[in-house]
Amino acid sequence: MLDAARAGESALLIAPTGAGKTLAGFLPTLAELAATPREGLHTLYVSPLKALAVDIARNLVAPVSEMALDISIETRTGDTPANRRARQREKPPNILLTTPESLTLLLSLPEAREMFGGLRRIVIDEIHALAGTKRGDQLALCLSRLSALVPGAARVGLSATVAHPDALRAYVAPSGRSADAKLVEVAGGALPDIDIQLPEGHLPWGGHMGLASAPEIYRRIEAARVTIVFVNTRAQSELIFAALWRMNEAVLPIALHHGSLTVEQRRKVEAAMAAGKLRAVVATSSLDLGIDWGDVDQVIQVGAPKGVSRLMQRVGRSNHRMDEASRATLVPANRFEVIECVAALGAVKARKQDGDPPRPGGLDVLAQHILAMACHAPFLPDDLFAEVTRAAPYAALPRRDFDDVLRFVEDGGYALRVYERYRRLFRDAEGYMHVRGPAIARQLRMNLGTIVEQPLVKIRMRGGPMLGEVEEWFVSTLRPGDNFLFAGQVLRFEAMDGVVAMVRPGGGPGEPRVPAYGGSRLPLSTYLAAEVREIMHDPSRWSALPDPVREWLDMQRLRSELPEPDGLLIETFPRGGRWFLVAYTFEGRLAHQSLGMLLTKRMERLGYAPMGYVSTDYVLSAWSAFEPTDMETLFSEDMLGEDLDEWMAESSMLRRTFRNIAMIAGLIDKNHPGAEKSKRQMTVNSDLIYDVLRRHEPDHILLRATRAEAASGLTDISRIAALLARAKGHIRHRVLDCVSPLAVPALIEVGREWVAGGAEDALLAEAAALVEEATGGAESFEGNLNDVNEALPPAPREPRPRKRRPGGRS
Amino acid sequence: MIAAPIHIVGHRLMLCPSGVLLWPGERLMAVADLHLEKSSHFAARGRLLPPYDTRETLKKLSFVLRRYEPRHLVLLGDSFHDAEGHARLADDDRATLAALLAGLRVTWVLGNHDPAPPASLPGEAMEELALGPMRFRHIGGGPIARHREGEISGHYHPKASLETRAGRISRPCFLAGPQHVVLPAFGALTGGLDVRSPALAPLAHRQGRVFLLGKDRLHSAPVPFVVPESAPERERVDEGWPSFP
């Protein structure tokens, strides 16, 4: 590491958790600054988490002050107060610890060149968590800009062990080519000691929360010194936390940590944890990354891990030292998850890694970056293109796309060129692009960043503190007096006060509701999915499975058959007056949702009258009025042709993707929590823009970006393609009399239904007719209206008005 | 497209799935919240929305005018997104609009977005149009002066969601009560306000009805059947299912 630093080379350091990576990253800096103290910024540290930046700063300040070194160390995040920001701009510290968002903001300032001019080193922490995400794209573009400003600055990337180290090397290399970054790999440390904990009583068929195992989790917390209980979603963290406290007779200090709590709340928990005042903390991925929690001696993962590399990250939180084995327990929430946990254990033993290689950089992020760079200083398009393509995620960016994005930033990029006078960029005589005015720069800085949140509402205790934020739609479903679970307590909703939901301590009869949060599900990795298939098919591997799961699989073998690793088992059976089709696809929920849409469309065409479908990480289940028989046609590969295009155009997922892209690219403003609610109806609806754009400019750069993103991530089309190819000629169709054991978990999920796109009108008509029937078709104005009104006939049966004379005077 | 009849203070009105209201007795058509030139309004502020909304809205308006051939067109306010909107109309859009309005009695009810009449376009402009017992104003829901007065208004861009077999579906809607109708916004880039929102409370009577706009027809339900808009992806809590038999 020091060798690379001395040579001024960039390097990627890959080491398992606990190997002291971060310190290694800073060693050359400390050595250099200790030898020759100096003014100004020397080392920039970028981490994906604010909390991590703060934690590292704390860990650096202590030794530096002990050794009485004259090195200034400061953090710069969204939470940094304005006066310190101003001071940092004038007199930057020697070491600045920050996040990709704050770095972008700094680079968009006119004085960026002066601020970063003397930079020697850039440390990028947890790079595996950034590469392949939009935040990673943003950071890559910023790094490229830094290299242009200060060509001598060397980069050091720090990463956990990953499946695709070369992609990360390319990310670290200033040229964007993997060969140009040195690879320093530290061999894996002691294998972790992981076991699986099942609930004492019945092993649940469905559900993802793992509440049935709460007593066992509590017992393990009691038996250990300090435990981190990792869960997969924020809702799950609230439920597990509540369940643990219900049985917490010993009043163990157990805390809660998730991304919707206020910063102060989270800091308090982090500080208590670091000070050794807690016995356990229930946490989501907000605690995933390298924060050092000192004396954690056990990690409990509730719910299946969904990926091997992710599991290793979490397990590494315990015994944050390389030479000792980490201790962890997996708590599967249902039977499929048991198999997944067993598969994950096997992978850990074999030191496998999983995860997809990073996808190419997003064009929306590029649009934001171009405007930010124009805010810094005028640029020549050719220079910026060269700079951008030196960032690994954009290494293969076609010039045409760059030019289209640039034109989008300039004037919207529409064929109809009517925005001449509203241009955001203008070109001077020498070809330099300038930003039009300070208003545009202000607007950019307000909307900087690639994290697009659902509109949020703050939660405040009446006469007390702010507790955190929940998604607006959830609050909109609350009535005054409703109880809900948040920040580890039952709260009673009282009223909205502007954009703040006022609450009091709640309680009383009835289960409190739990706020759910959009998009917080983790996808099941391809590797684990394949492993699950292998284990299920091979009874010789069942010895690792607990009895109830083995019996379950045995019963499946008896009543139907087991899914093959390289084939596709489909069961159909009648139930409750409809036909169910259950496909054992194992491609993860995202892919299943997309596949379900396409499948029901196809079922419709074949006349099976599909009524809905539901997907889990493991299976896809659809139900219809008539018996589906022709599986070869239903699951044929051409499903990904026209059907896909047609669906993509209408899909709500595409709309959501477009909305995010439109916000990041700067077509519409981000939702700012705290903006006046009354303005909501004046903001533009991205769905409507999407429709207009699709009709008038189907090839617009933002639509191209939307389709590309949906195909790779959101809809997981590539996994569907792989599945259909695998299944071709290997479909096993079993017609059963009743539900099979393996199909039960899927049927438990039924209730959250999706129906093929375009059927909305039919559904509405059906709903309206039902309401009509339920209310006896009674005119609801009746009573107070009898004097002036005739009965209003039910709308659905209204005759068509005559063509030329609407309504006439009939 | 199938329009639905509704009776307000003894007069028969038709609600059209396109979002316009017809008063056959007067051969009158009312349309609300066109918000023409919304995209250029945003463009001037650095948000370069697709510049096709005016064109789209006019195309839609042209379709319903041809279809219903009214004599009197009442624009219920916010016809332009801002006071200067009419001045920003592209030449061809202006010509299209002028042609659409030719030969019609045109009433521009003034709205909060366009408080001044569009000087360059034909028609009369007023705060409120009174026609028989009917009052056409931009913002409804104030105290109704006389028992037998009906009120036709816009402004709120009402939308509503109904529970269907496959989850909640949200659409722009008419919101009708015994003595009033609130029209949905007609403009191509106009979003909506949920009828359950407090701002609409005075107009969303429990005895009222919503008429959700469908492709070819309206889907109607009493106001108490309206549900909050559907949530994004939800996590489910479902534990403790019985053992397999």
Side-chain angles (χ1 to χ4, degrees):
Chain A
M1 205 64 225
L2 283 166
D3 291 348
R6 265 194 288 277
E9 287 173 329
S10 290
L12 171 68
L13 172 57
I14 293 185
T17 329
K21 287 195 290 285
T22 312
L23 186 64
F26 278 105
L27 262 182
T29 299
L30 296 178
E32 229 175 277
L33 282 173
T36 44
R38 45 170 274 184
E39 290 280 290
L41 193 58
H42 177 281
T43 293
L44 179 73
Y45 165 91
V46 190
S47 108
L49 280 185
K50 280 189 251 181
L52 188 53
V54 173
D55 186 58
I56 298 291
R58 203 166 43 208
N59 290 348
L60 274 180
V61 166
V64 163
S65 63
E66 270 168 35
M67 290 186 274
L69 294 176
D70 184 20
I71 298 175
S72 52
I73 300 168
E74 286 181 23
T75 58
R76 164 72 177 237
T77 69
D79 303 334
T80 306
N83 55 351
R84 196 186 313 162
R85 290 177 190 221
R87 184 165 48 73
Q88 285 173 347
R89 275 156 77 164
E90 279 173 23
K91 189 176 175 303
N94 292 142
I95 300 178
L96 183 68
L97 301 105
T98 189
T99 59
E101 288 72 22
S102 294
L103 178 58
T104 312
L105 189 90
L106 289 173
L107 286 172
S108 78
L109 298 173
E111 61 264 39
R113 184 177 287 276
E114 291 71 46
M115 190 171 174
F116 292 100
L119 189 68
R120 300 279 303 134
R121 293 174 57 76
I122 305 165
V123 180
I124 311 141
D125 206 356
E126 306 280 354
I127 201 168
H128 59 278
L130 283 168
T133 68
K134 289 199 177 183
R135 299 181 73 209
D137 296 345
Q138 187 175 38
L139 178 60
L141 291 168
C142 286
L143 292 174
S144 216
R145 166 47 55 108
L146 281 173
S147 293
L149 290 179
V150 265
R155 303 180 191 170
V156 184
L158 309 176
S159 171
T161 318
V162 286
H164 306 278
D166 270 350
L168 293 191
R169 273 174 82 187
Y171 189 98
V172 171
S175 63
R177 285 190 303 265
S178 59
D180 291 331
K182 207 171 154 170
L183 179 66
V184 182
E185 212 161 353
V186 177
L191 269 180
D193 166 18
I194 311 179
D195 63 349
I196 294 177
Q197 172 72 59
L198 297 182
E200 202 132 89
H202 165 70
L203 181 59
W205 291 96
H208 311 280
M209 297 298 174
L211 289 178
S213 299
E216 287 75 17
I217 298 172
Y218 185 75
R219 274 204 294 281
R220 282 179 182 252
I221 292 174
E222 267 186 315
R225 280 198 320 275
V226 184
T227 306
I228 299 181
V229 181
F230 275 116
V231 296
N232 289 339
T233 65
R234 278 171 272 187
Q236 191 184 8
S237 73
E238 293 278 359
L239 285 165
I240 291 287
F241 179 77
L244 290 176
W245 270 94
R246 265 200 297 275
M247 58 188 75
N248 193 359
E249 277 163 15
V251 205
L252 301 177
I254 299 176
L256 175 66
H257 192 287
H258 66 68
S260 292
L261 301 176
T262 57
V263 179
E264 298 80 56
Q265 199 97 349
R266 274 181 275 160
R267 287 285 152 76
K268 246 170 46 196
V269 173
E270 288 157 17
M273 190 76 177
K277 289 181 188 154
L278 295 179
R279 288 291 294 280
V281 57
V282 179
T284 61
S285 46
S286 62
L287 265 194
D288 254 5
L289 301 171
I291 302 171
D292 189 350
W293 294 110
D295 283 336
V296 176
D297 56 349
Q298 142 173 282
V299 162
I300 299 179
Q301 160 71 37
V302 188
K306 300 298 160 202
V308 183
S309 297
R310 167 177 296 273
L311 175 65
M312 283 308 290
Q313 277 285 298
R314 291 188 158 186
V315 168
R317 294 296 107 226
S318 102
N319 256 345
H320 213 156
R321 275 180 299 275
M322 215 181 138
D323 45 346
E324 284 175 42
S326 304
R327 204 154 67 73
T329 301
L330 304 183
V331 182
N334 62 49
R335 291 162 189 238
F336 272 117
E337 288 198 353
V338 173
I339 305 176
E340 191 185 320
C341 287
V342 168
L345 279 193
V348 167
K349 282 207 186 86
R351 294 191 187 272
K352 290 274 187 220
Q353 295 288 337
D354 59 1
D356 300 323
R359 41 151 202 75
L363 297 180
D364 49 347
V365 182
L366 179 60
Q368 197 185 86
H369 183 74
I370 289 177
L371 189 55
M373 292 308 101
C375 291
H376 162 65
F379 63 83
L380 288 171
D382 287 352
D383 292 352
L384 189 61
F385 177 68
E387 182 185 309
V388 162
T389 47
R390 281 194 296 268
Y394 296 92
L397 178 74
R399 180 65 194 240
R400 176 189 167 225
D401 283 1
F402 176 82
D403 287 339
D404 284 353
V405 173
L406 179 61
R407 260 211 60 211
F408 164 77
V409 177
E410 208 177 337
D411 65 3
Y414 303 107
L416 192 67
R417 309 192 84 147
V418 291
Y419 285 160
E420 192 58 41
R421 62 196 158 126
Y422 305 130
R423 287 170 171 278
R424 295 192 293 184
L425 302 179
F426 66 88
R427 225 174 271 250
D428 68 16
E430 289 162 58
Y432 279 91
M433 307 288 289
H434 297 252
V435 69
R436 194 185 78 212
I440 300 293
R442 247 193 329 272
Q443 195 173 35
L444 168 86
R445 294 190 183 113
M446 288 279 293
N447 287 279
L448 219 50
T450 57
I451 301 173
V452 179
E453 296 267 9
Q454 289 286 327
L456 298 172
V457 169
K458 290 199 164 65
I459 307 283
R460 182 194 279 283
M461 188 70 84
R462 173 87 57 194
M466 216 56 111
L467 298 174
E469 295 173 326
V470 297
E471 286 176 15
E472 186 189 23
W473 72 263
F474 175 76
V475 175
S476 78
T477 65
L478 293 174
R479 287 164 196 273
D482 280 0
N483 283 322
F484 66 102
L485 201 56
F486 185 76
Q489 43 191 324
V490 178
L491 302 172
R492 180 179 291 125
F493 175 63
E494 286 207 321
M496 288 303 295
D497 180 6
V499 289
V500 179
M502 302 303 293
V503 298
R504 279 186 194 280
E511 278 286 293
R513 296 175 51 202
V514 185
Y517 306 84
S520 44
R521 283 280 189 92
L522 308 164
L524 173 67
S525 81
T526 315
Y527 175 82
L528 267 190
E531 276 300 295
V532 169
R533 278 199 303 269
E534 292 282 350
I535 293 179
M536 287 181 84
H537 186 69
D538 183 0
S540 72
R541 295 181 66 178
W542 292 2
S543 55
L545 299 174
D547 290 345
V549 176
R550 248 194 340 257
E551 284 158 19
W552 178 50
L553 294 180
D554 257 333
M555 207 174 336
Q556 170 71 16
R557 194 156 49 160
L558 202 73
R559 298 205 183 177
S560 173
E561 65 183 86
L562 291 163
E564 287 176 21
D566 299 312
L568 175 59
L569 171 64
I570 299 166
E571 295 171 343
T572 52
F573 52 86
R575 191 164 195 277
R578 36 193 189 177
W579 278 87
F580 281 80
L581 178 161
V582 178
Y584 297 90
T585 35
F586 297 101
E587 290 297 345
R589 233 169 108 263
L590 278 181
H592 291 167
Q593 267 171 12
S594 306
L595 181 62
M597 281 285 181
L598 299 172
L599 180 69
T600 42
K601 252 181 188 299
R602 232 159 223 227
M603 289 171 73
E604 213 164 84
R605 201 159 334 129
L606 291 178
Y608 301 145
M611 300 196 286
Y613 74 88
V614 67
S615 49
T616 70
D617 267 336
Y618 315 101
V619 303
L620 168 67
S621 150
W623 49 100
S624 55
F626 305 106
E627 182 181 358
T629 47
D630 187 357
M631 295 303 142
E632 298 293 337
T633 309
L634 273 182
F635 285 87
S636 87
E637 272 180 291
D638 61 9
M639 189 187 256
L640 294 180
E642 269 173 43
D643 283 358
L644 177 66
D645 292 342
E646 196 187 315
W647 166 63
M648 294 259 282
E650 296 297 332
S651 148
S652 63
M653 279 193 259
L654 262 269
R655 285 165 192 272
R656 210 151 54 225
T657 306
F658 176 75
R659 172 176 167 273
N660 293 353
I661 284 178
M663 281 189 197
I664 293 171
L667 184 65
I668 55 179
D669 280 303
K670 279 198 193 175
N671 290 306
H672 291 290
E676 268 176 70
K677 174 105 183 187
S678 60
K679 286 192 178 152
R680 190 64 40 76
Q681 54 174 314
M682 299 215 2
T683 58
V684 278
N685 180 330
S686 65
D687 286 0
L688 300 173
I689 300 176
Y690 180 73
D691 289 338
V692 167
L693 206 48
R694 259 184 55 223
R695 274 198 292 276
H696 292 270
E697 296 210 17
D699 199 37
H700 190 267
I701 184 74
L702 292 193
L703 291 183
R704 270 160 40 205
T706 304
R707 285 191 291 265
E709 189 175 321
S712 68
L714 204 54
T715 50
D716 257 349
I717 298 302
S718 53
R719 283 178 82 164
I720 302 179
L723 162 77
L724 295 179
R726 196 173 71 221
K728 198 172 174 189
H730 298 94
I731 291 180
R732 302 272 311 152
H733 179 198
R734 295 287 297 230
V735 185
L736 307 175
D737 300 333
C738 68
V739 57
S740 76
L742 275 195
V744 171
L747 261 65
I748 284 171
E749 296 272 344
V750 170
R752 187 173 46 179
E753 308 177 11
W754 297 65
V755 164
E760 279 195 4
D761 260 79
L763 288 165
L764 274 174
E766 187 186 288
L770 273 174
V771 168
E772 221 49 66
E773 207 179 301
T775 54
E779 166 47 36
S780 46
F781 305 162
E782 238 167 23
N784 61 342
L785 280 181
N786 279 341
D787 53 337
V788 287
N789 245 348
E790 319 162 15
L792 186 136
R797 273 173 260 289
E798 197 45 39
R800 178 180 282 270
R802 270 177 296 156
K803 215 164 184 175
R804 284 285 160 191
R805 298 274 311 275
R809 284 170 196 264
S810 53
Chain B
M1 273 196 293
I2 308 168
I6 180 173
H7 292 77
I8 299 290
V9 289
H11 289 265
R12 186 167 189 273
L13 306 175
M14 305 290 290
L15 308 181
C16 172
S18 64
V20 301
L21 173 144
L22 305 157
W23 185 358
E26 296 285 332
R27 291 202 55 187
L28 175 150
M29 176 191 290
V31 59
D33 298 278
L34 266 50
H35 285 265
L36 296 172
E37 292 302 312
K38 181 166 179 171
S39 61
S40 58
H41 173 94
F42 271 80
R45 282 152 190 78
R47 292 292 176 238
L48 304 166
L49 300 188
Y52 305 101
D53 58 323
T54 297
R55 200 188 270 194
E56 286 255 331
T57 306
L58 293 180
K59 202 167 121 193
K60 230 172 102 189
L61 185 62
S62 146
F63 173 79
V64 283
L65 284 171
R66 259 184 292 128
R67 175 169 178 133
Y68 294 117
E69 295 188 324
R71 274 195 303 243
H72 186 179
L73 176 67
V74 181
L75 299 119
L76 288 168
D78 289 0
S79 306
F80 289 91
H81 191 69
D82 59 298
E84 288 78 43
H86 63 93
R88 288 197 309 272
L89 276 176
D91 291 343
D92 50 342
D93 288 337
R94 182 187 307 278
T96 308
L97 181 55
L100 287 179
L101 301 182
L104 283 173
R105 178 183 168 194
V106 177
T107 306
W108 302 91
V109 173
L110 301 175
N112 51 319
H113 279 260
D114 53 353
S120 55
L121 290 161
E124 52 191 2
M126 55 187 76
E127 288 291 335
E128 176 181 320
L129 169 72
L131 210 59
M134 228 62 93
R135 300 289 175 269
F136 296 85
R137 40 177 87 102
H138 181 55
I139 304 181
I144 288 185
R146 287 174 43 236
H147 178 53
R148 285 176 172 258
E149 209 168 85
E151 180 185 77
I152 313 296
S153 65
H155 179 64
Y156 290 108
H157 305 190
K159 68 169 183 190
S161 308
L162 291 181
E163 192 79 62
T164 76
R165 188 158 52 74
R168 291 163 187 191
I169 297 177
S170 177
R171 288 288 172 85
C173 68
F174 290 95
L175 172 60
Q179 283 177 275
H180 67 258
V181 183
V182 185
L183 271 62
F186 193 78
L189 284 186
T190 50
L193 180 67
D194 198 285
V195 298
R196 294 167 34 106
S197 100
L200 267 164
L203 288 157
H205 290 204
R206 293 195 70 74
Q207 294 100 347
R209 281 188 94 82
V210 291
F211 298 82
L212 276 63
L213 306 190
K215 267 203 192 83
D216 305 309
R217 39 162 293 192
L218 296 163
H219 308 285
S220 123
V223 166
F225 281 82
V226 173
V227 293
E229 200 172 344
S230 80
E233 280 296 275
R234 259 187 257 184
E235 303 160 355
R236 273 162 55 99
V237 187
D238 38 14
E239 303 288 324
W241 283 80
S243 307
F244 194 74

